[in-house]
């Protein structure tokens, strides 16, 4: 759906960023702003500032900044549309849905109301289970025997479903309420199983089990997992599929692990509730678990919203290997060059919980470091059952490898693996590709080899659109090099050699910077009347495109390249000042909602966007026959990251003498820049 920019502005005008952030971060008044510990990185002294006047947050430690919508996206892992809808619901606003019929809008409203009702019922049950735990000595002893503290039990909301068929009758006054069945808490008997009064039999789904509430990324209770206290079967029992709960999409512990994922730098995926809770107790709060089902592509995609690295942990037995194989299939489409996926296989006699108790935190951490990379495990999976000392075995491996390799996104990893597969099966790369690529297939189709890294303008989907609009005059043949900002001033696009001090890359200073005002800061804007003049020319040509514009052009013509970037680079681009930051944020929201689209479709989505003119002008300025170079864009992004780190170091230098956290962060950035310099 397309949300009007005017509504976004109205929503942000009503929302209070202090209130939104304060629900997740403990804030204290400090001068004109509020301060707290940053939720995006680990720190001991507060460096996270929230400005009520500017409705803006900024962390002086990690550099995270934004408004109420971006906070929900970064902290809760929501998409742009999800964040807007959630915020609108909190402030009683209806998100405009002009492209949706009245009937569909009514159905959507009914679904939202049902979801809110069911989560409130489940939350009430969770509180009832917590209360029951306090009165159950055997349940408390069970958790103690597993080494769990009261603090971790509180963090995860652990509880106990008492014995008896109708324990929830003490929690809900109306045990016959249909919502108890819809939420999966109560089971109703089949026809013919009525009681003496002619009523259908109803009884609790969970009885005499320790309870693990399952929360979505917003912290709402959407289901439960229950474990028996003895060896009865089934050992674990999950809530059924409901309108608010789907095992194939949700991960246990993800809500609790959000901050730890950023601190540890990776997500550890296990198979059980107790693994998550026990590992959190032992210092690995970055652990999540699938809910009694195989890992799915939706699980992997959700994890990569929070981190660029995932480690799957499995038992070393045959069942663990089968589960790992399914996780491999789910992870391959997301294994871009900027992401890391590994597989940890524990000894057959251990699960993560027992292993960390036997070998300690450090022993488990060392084992994690030795996890098998995705590339190696993929080759092992392809070679499984193949006798590579025979031609038949090698041919079988080549056949096994083809569908796995085809799932990988194009990039350096895919090309390296092609070479390794060819080497193992003793076939030349070109001969292997001839075998894998049908004779009638389009050149470069799904191979990642013959397809160039460059985006060809000649064959791009927007060529005819651009040409026709240039002919009809809807887009100027030579668009101006000056573009008006939101304040009516004109800013010249900086050239490729713009210095850090005068570039527009990071024009908005920190909210507490000396001299900072409530108005946007544009260092490249000439606010005099003479600024509104004809485009400046150099030997009859337009000024060279800025670095930001070159990245924007490639991503508008090849939006799937967004997935090649790291989460740090996503944050970098979306935080750029006007017009680039809003355009990159818009492009990211389009990818979340619709996936990669051709320029013609993106052009329609840009209608009435406040920076529509800038985006269309960039496409119009791409010279005929000139290709966008991904290598150049990669180099530009590296430069922008370096400039960002240098700016942060300048800010930290003033505080490093008195703030140990600032000094530590300064040294970390200095070491990173030195490492980058030595690598070149």
């Amino acid at each position: 759906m397309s949300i009007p920019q005017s509504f976004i502005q109205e929503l942000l005008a009503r929302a209070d960023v202090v209130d939104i952030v304060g629900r997740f971060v403990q804030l204290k008044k400090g001068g004109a702003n509020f301060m707290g510990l940053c939720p995006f990185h680990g720190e001991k002294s507060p460096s996270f500032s929230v400005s009520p006047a500017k409705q803006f947050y900024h962390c002086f430690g990690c550099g995270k900044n934004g408004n109420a919508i971006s906070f929900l996206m970064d902290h809760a892992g929501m998409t742009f549309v999800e964040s807007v809808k959630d915020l609108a619901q909190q402030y009683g606003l209806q998100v405009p849905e002009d492209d949706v019929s009245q009937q569909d809008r009514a159905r959507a409203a009914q679904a939202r109301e049902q979801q809110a009702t069911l989560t409130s019922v489940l939350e009430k049950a969770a509180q009832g289970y917590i209360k029951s735990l306090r009165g159950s000595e055997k349940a408390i002893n069970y958790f103690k025997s597993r080494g769990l503290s009261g603090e971790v039990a509180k963090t995860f909301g652990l509880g106990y479903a008492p014995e008896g068929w109708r324990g929830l009758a003490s929690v809900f006054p109306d045990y016959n309420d249909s919502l108890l069945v819809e939420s999966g808490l109560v089971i109703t008997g089949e026809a013919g199983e009525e009681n003496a009064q002619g009523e259908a039999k109803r009884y609790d789904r969970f009885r005499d089990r320790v309870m693990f509430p399952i929360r979505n990324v917003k912290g709402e209770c959407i289901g439960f997992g229950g474990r028996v206290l003895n060896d009865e079967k089934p050992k674990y029992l999950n809530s059924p599929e409901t309108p608010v709960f789907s095992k194939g999409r949700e991960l246990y512990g993800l809500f609790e692990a959000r901050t730890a994922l950023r601190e540890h730098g990776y997500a550890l995926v296990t198979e059980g509730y107790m693994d998550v809770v026990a590992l959190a107790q032992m210092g690995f709060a970055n652990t999540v678990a699938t809910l009694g089902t195989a890992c799915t592509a939706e699980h992997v995609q959700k994890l990569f919203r929070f981190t660029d690295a995932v480690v799957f942990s499995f038992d070393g037995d045959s069942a663990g290997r089968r589960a790992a194989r399914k996780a491999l299939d789910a992870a391959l489409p997301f294994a871009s060059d900027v992401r890391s996926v590994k597989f940890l296989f524990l000894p057959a006699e251990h699960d993560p919980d027992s292993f960390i108790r036997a070998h300690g935190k450090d022993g488990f951490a060392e084992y994690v470091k030795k996890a098998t990379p995705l590339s190696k495990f993929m080759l092992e999976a392809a070679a499984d059952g193949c006798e590579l000392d025979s031609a038949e075995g090698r041919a079988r491996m080549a056949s096994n490898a083809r569908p796995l390799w085809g799932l990988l996104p194009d990039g350096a990893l895919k090309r390296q693996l092609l070479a390794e597969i060819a080497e193992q099966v003793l076939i030349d790369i070109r001969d292997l590709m001839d075998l894998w690529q049908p004779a009638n297939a389009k050149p470069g189709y799904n191979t990642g080899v013959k397809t160039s890294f460059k985006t060809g303008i000649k064959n791009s989907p927007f060529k005819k659109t651009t040409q026709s609009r240039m002919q009809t005059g809807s887009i100027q043949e030579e668009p101006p090099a000056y573009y008006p900002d939101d304040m009516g001033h004109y800013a010249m696009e900086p050239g490729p050699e713009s210095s850090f001090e005068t570039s527009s890359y990071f024009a908005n200073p920190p909210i507490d910077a000396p001299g900072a005002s409530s108005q946007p800061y544009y260092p490249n804007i000439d606010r005099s009347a003479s600024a509104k003049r004809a485009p400046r020319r150099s030997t009859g040509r337009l000024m060279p495109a800025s670095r930001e514009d070159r990245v924007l052009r490639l991503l508008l013509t090849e939006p799937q390249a967004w997935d090649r970037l790291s989460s740090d680079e996503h944050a970098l681009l979306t935080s750029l000042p006007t017009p680039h930051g809003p355009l990159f944020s818009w492009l990211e929201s389009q990818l979340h909602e619709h996936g990669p689209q051709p320029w013609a479709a993106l052009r329609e989505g840009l209608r009435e966007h406040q920076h529509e003119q800038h985006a269309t002008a960039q496409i119009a300025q791409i010279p005929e026959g000139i290709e966008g170079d991904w290598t150049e864009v990669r180099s530009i992004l590296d430069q922008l990251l370096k400039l960002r780190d240098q700016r942060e170091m300048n800010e930290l230098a003033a505080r490093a003498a008195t703030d140990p956290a600032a000094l530590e962060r300064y040294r970390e950035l200095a070491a990173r820049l030195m490492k980058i310099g030595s690598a070149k």
Side-chain angles (χ1 to χ4, degrees):
M1 62 176 291
S2 177
I3 303 176
Q5 188 66 27
S6 58
F7 176 79
I8 302 298
Q9 293 172 339
E10 179 188 356
L11 180 61
L12 290 175
R14 292 199 188 189
D16 183 2
V17 71
V18 177
D19 178 48
I20 300 301
V21 174
R23 297 175 189 178
F24 303 93
V25 180
Q26 186 174 356
L27 299 173
K28 292 184 178 180
K29 196 83 164 72
N33 300 325
F34 289 81
M35 301 295 295
L37 296 176
C38 180
F40 303 116
H41 80 288
E43 62 177 6
K44 296 182 179 179
S45 58
S47 62
F48 187 76
S49 177
V50 184
S51 169
K54 302 172 186 176
Q55 289 295 299
F56 193 83
Y57 64 86
H58 178 86
C59 176
F60 293 96
C62 67
K64 279 282 189 182
N65 59 77
N67 55 32
I69 294 175
S70 63
F71 182 84
L72 291 177
M73 293 175 67
D74 290 338
H75 191 264
M78 302 181 195
T79 64
F80 174 77
V81 173
E82 289 171 344
S83 299
V84 171
K85 287 184 175 180
D86 186 75
L87 202 59
Q89 185 179 28
Q90 294 182 44
Y91 287 90
L93 296 177
Q94 179 67 42
V95 179
E97 299 176 347
D98 295 335
D99 55 342
V100 179
S101 68
Q102 186 69 30
Q103 186 178 7
D104 289 341
R105 191 178 298 123
R107 278 199 296 264
Q110 184 179 6
R112 286 193 296 269
E113 183 179 355
Q114 181 187 35
Q115 181 174 358
T117 303
L118 290 178
T119 54
S120 64
V121 168
L122 290 161
E123 186 61 43
K124 188 173 182 179
Q127 295 303 315
Y129 292 142
I130 291 174
K131 184 177 179 180
S132 295
L133 174 62
R134 295 171 186 156
S136 174
E137 185 176 349
K138 67 176 181 178
I140 292 174
N141 289 337
Y142 172 80
F143 283 134
K144 286 183 176 180
S145 70
R146 302 299 295 265
L148 300 185
S149 67
E151 182 179 353
V152 77
K154 181 179 179 181
T155 298
F156 286 88
L158 304 184
Y160 171 67
E163 297 179 76
W165 293 95
R166 293 196 169 201
L168 288 176
S170 63
V171 179
F172 297 94
D174 183 8
Y175 190 74
N176 291 319
D177 191 339
S178 61
L179 290 173
L180 297 182
V181 177
E182 290 181 42
S183 61
L185 293 170
V186 168
I187 298 174
T188 183
E190 300 291 336
E193 297 182 352
E194 293 81 4
N195 58 23
Q197 288 74 35
E199 300 172 336
K201 288 185 178 180
R202 298 168 72 90
Y203 52 93
D204 292 358
R205 181 179 299 276
F206 301 100
R207 305 179 303 279
D208 195 22
R209 291 175 181 266
V210 287
M211 300 296 290
F212 301 82
I214 302 165
R215 296 168 176 151
N216 60 19
V217 292
K218 295 190 290 184
E220 299 170 335
C221 184
I222 56 175
F224 292 94
R227 190 197 189 283
V228 295
L229 301 176
N230 46 41
D231 295 328
E232 293 180 7
K233 301 296 181 182
K235 181 185 293 186
Y236 282 99
L237 183 65
N238 293 320
S239 289
E241 299 278 318
T242 70
V244 297
F245 177 59
S246 172
K247 291 185 290 185
R249 291 197 299 264
E250 303 297 339
L251 288 159
Y252 177 70
L254 182 58
F255 174 74
E256 292 81 3
R258 291 164 305 156
T259 301
L261 291 177
R262 298 181 176 97
E263 293 175 357
H264 288 258
Y266 70 95
L268 181 65
V269 185
T270 62
E271 296 182 275
Y273 300 101
M274 278 304 305
D275 291 332
V276 173
V277 180
L279 287 172
Q281 171 88 29
M282 300 292 285
F284 290 87
N286 56 320
T287 308
V288 300
T290 53
L291 300 168
T293 185
C295 182
T296 67
E298 288 180 282
H299 287 147
V300 178
Q301 187 176 37
K302 182 169 287 190
L303 285 170
F304 278 130
R305 288 184 185 176
F306 294 88
T307 179
D308 291 325
V310 175
V311 178
F312 293 100
S313 175
F314 298 98
D315 298 344
D317 56 15
S318 57
R321 284 276 171 176
R322 288 194 298 271
R325 181 65 176 76
K326 292 179 180 178
L328 174 67
D329 291 338
L332 282 170
F334 304 96
S336 65
D337 295 343
V338 296
R339 291 169 176 164
S340 169
V341 179
K342 294 184 177 181
F343 296 83
L344 175 67
F345 295 100
L346 297 171
E349 67 274 15
H350 280 297
D351 59 21
D353 181 15
S354 64
F355 186 92
I356 198 170
R357 297 192 187 285
H359 299 277
K361 178 181 178 181
D362 294 339
F364 186 78
E366 285 300 317
Y367 213 78
V368 170
K369 291 180 181 178
K370 299 175 183 177
T372 303
L374 174 140
S375 56
K376 182 178 179 181
F377 184 52
M378 191 195 98
L379 293 174
E380 291 176 356
D384 186 32
C386 302
E387 297 178 359
L388 298 184
D389 57 350
S390 69
E392 291 85 354
R394 292 191 294 272
R396 182 179 177 185
M397 179 184 173
S399 178
N400 293 343
R402 179 183 179 182
L404 296 175
W405 183 84
L407 290 173
L408 285 165
D410 189 22
L413 175 63
K414 187 170 189 175
R415 299 183 182 206
Q416 291 180 78
L417 278 171
L418 179 67
E420 292 194 29
I421 295 168
E423 182 180 357
Q424 289 198 28
V425 300
L426 303 183
I427 297 178
D428 181 80
I429 291 180
R430 287 170 293 185
D431 292 335
L432 183 61
M433 288 312 306
D434 287 341
L435 288 173
W436 284 0
Q437 182 175 321
N440 60 349
K442 183 173 65 176
Y445 174 74
N446 200 30
T447 64
V449 175
K450 296 182 180 180
T451 300
S452 171
F453 271 108
K454 298 181 179 181
T455 305
I457 300 304
K458 291 182 178 180
N459 299 320
S460 65
F462 61 85
K463 175 187 174 186
K464 293 182 179 179
T465 301
T466 303
Q467 287 179 332
S468 63
R469 287 180 183 166
M470 288 175 67
Q471 292 168 359
T472 59
S474 59
I475 294 182
Q476 297 180 14
E477 192 165 345
E478 293 183 329
Y482 287 78
Y483 299 101
D485 66 14
D486 297 330
M487 299 172 64
H489 302 106
Y490 282 71
M492 184 184 74
E493 296 298 313
E497 303 302 325
S498 299
S499 69
F500 172 70
E501 293 298 325
T502 60
S503 76
S504 64
Y505 304 146
F506 303 99
N508 293 324
I511 55 179
D512 287 340
S517 70
S518 59
Q519 295 297 325
Y521 172 58
Y522 301 98
N524 289 330
I525 294 178
D526 179 357
R527 303 189 184 280
S528 65
S530 62
K532 301 180 182 180
R533 58 181 180 269
R536 181 176 152 194
R537 302 272 178 165
S538 175
T539 63
R541 297 183 180 181
L542 292 170
M543 295 295 289
S546 69
R547 295 169 180 169
E548 302 100 322
D549 282 336
R550 282 179 287 187
V551 177
L552 181 64
R553 290 175 182 180
L554 183 135
L555 290 175
L556 285 175
T557 58
E558 191 181 352
Q560 61 270 28
W562 185 263
D563 287 333
R564 298 182 190 172
L565 309 183
S566 67
S567 58
D568 195 27
E569 289 165 337
H570 290 165
L572 169 77
L573 293 176
T574 55
S575 64
L576 290 172
T578 299
H580 300 96
L583 282 172
F584 285 122
S585 296
W586 172 84
L587 180 61
E588 181 179 39
S589 69
Q590 291 293 300
L591 289 166
H592 279 307
E593 291 180 61
H594 310 293
Q597 302 175 89
W599 164 245
L602 289 174
R603 175 65 186 87
E604 292 305 312
L606 272 168
R607 300 289 180 191
E608 299 184 3
H609 189 281
Q610 63 185 76
H611 302 299
E612 173 188 358
Q613 179 186 357
H614 185 86
T616 55
Q618 292 309 309
I619 298 299
Q621 287 186 72
I622 300 177
E624 182 69 26
I626 300 299
E627 298 181 343
D629 191 344
W630 173 256
T631 305
E632 178 196 34
V633 170
R634 176 76 270 160
S635 176
I636 291 173
L637 290 170
D638 290 341
Q639 293 174 37
L640 294 180
L641 288 169
K642 183 177 179 181
L643 290 171
R644 183 195 64 182
D645 289 350
Q646 289 174 338
R647 176 186 170 96
E648 185 178 349
M649 287 176 66
N650 291 339
E651 296 173 353
L652 292 169
R655 300 187 288 117
T658 57
D659 187 346
L663 178 60
E664 182 180 353
R665 176 66 176 168
Y666 183 92
R667 290 172 174 169
E668 177 186 336
L669 292 173
R672 187 161 72 187
L673 289 175
M674 186 177 296
K675 183 178 180 181
I676 294 174
S678 62
K680 293 185 177 180

